Amino acid sequence: MKFIHLTDPRQVRPGTTLYGLDPARRLHEAIASIVAEHPDAAFVAITGDLAHWGEPDAYAVLRDALAPLPMPVRLLIGNHDDRVAFRAAFPEVPVDAEGFVQYAFDVDDVRVVCLDTNEPGVAWGVFCERRAAWLAEVLADAARARRPVHLMLHHPPFPGGIAPMDRISLRDTGPLVEAVSPYRTTVRQMYFGHLHRPMAGSWHGIPFSTIRGTAHQ
């Protein structure tokens, strides 16, 4: 299975910049590269912080930018996103029974699971027991079907050694650990964003990776 991982495109309203940069231009360049060099990818996953301020106009910019992609795009939300505005702009993205932007999909024999760590009003990540209960059911089903799982979320569930970012990583990781622990051999890889830096390793025996932010480092 081949797919593309992008993260933190941080789109803003048309005609504005972010830290002196144009995030729309940077996203367009990334998408042009995918179209030219990787049209055979099964999907593109973008692991959160889709917009910088969560504005409806910024999500409209994002939708327009993604239009040229010939493959499905799987979107997650991060701490800079607004869940209500996102759902209004992308009503086709599934949510769970609680309204969290959490869903799973299958590609060949692999199940990809997308999680929602957004908590309104705070920058750090939250993954509560309600979200974890949904994840546990999805992982149990994947294990019964003997489907390996790729797990995606925005916030890293551990400190990465960058103090300002560690203060806003995922807090209270207990529910996530409890949901994932019985299925460590089922979850083959975990992907996240938030840090805007490349990093790889292993967490509770699960390999993980993240990449540079599309908007800025």
Side-chain angles (χ1 to χ4, degrees):
M1 182 182 69
K2 173 182 178 178
F3 70 94
I4 305 296
H5 178 198
L6 300 178
T7 196
D8 296 76
R10 295 284 193 96
Q11 298 302 286
V12 293
R13 290 182 293 105
T16 60
T17 59
L18 182 63
Y19 304 126
L21 304 172
D22 183 353
R25 180 184 62 79
R26 292 186 167 211
L27 180 58
H28 279 287
E29 290 179 358
I31 289 170
S33 174
I34 294 169
V35 171
E37 301 171 45
H38 303 286
D40 58 332
F43 64 94
V44 174
I46 309 181
T47 51
D49 280 3
L50 308 173
H52 185 70
W53 298 115
E55 302 156 307
D57 287 351
Y59 290 120
V61 170
L62 177 66
R63 180 177 282 281
D64 289 345
L66 299 178
L69 290 171
M71 69 287 290
V73 181
R74 309 298 185 177
L75 301 175
L76 288 72
I77 61 173
N79 52 288
H80 277 265
D81 290 303
D82 181 281
R83 190 181 289 111
V84 174
F86 169 78
R87 291 187 63 186
F90 293 92
E92 71 277 14
V93 177
V95 297
D96 67 12
E98 300 272 359
F100 295 114
V101 185
Q102 301 198 136
Y103 57 98
F105 60 96
D106 295 338
V107 180
D108 299 328
D109 64 340
V110 174
R111 180 156 297 167
V112 183
V113 181
C114 301
L115 303 181
D116 182 340
T117 58
N118 171 285
E119 186 71 11
V122 301
W124 56 83
V126 173
F127 195 72
C128 60
E129 293 182 355
R130 293 180 295 158
R131 290 176 249 205
W134 177 89
L135 174 59
E137 291 183 6
V138 171
L139 293 179
D141 181 70
R144 287 191 294 267
R146 299 183 181 275
R147 286 184 176 273
V149 167
H150 287 231
L151 189 64
M152 299 188 173
L153 66 166
H154 179 69
H155 293 83
F158 52 83
I162 305 168
M165 299 305 293
D166 289 344
R167 288 194 287 271
I168 57 171
S169 62
L170 186 67
R171 293 194 179 180
D172 186 12
T173 60
L176 178 62
V177 173
E178 185 175 352
V180 168
S181 291
Y183 306 104
R184 291 179 185 176
T185 58
T186 298
V187 180
R188 301 295 176 83
Q189 180 86 8
M190 181 174 68
Y191 307 83
F192 55 86
H194 194 56
L195 298 182
H196 298 234
R197 295 164 175 85
M199 183 181 293
S202 178
W203 174 77
H204 288 273
I206 299 171
F208 67 79
S209 63
T210 186
I211 56 175
R212 292 178 175 87
T214 302
H216 58 267
Q217 310 313 315

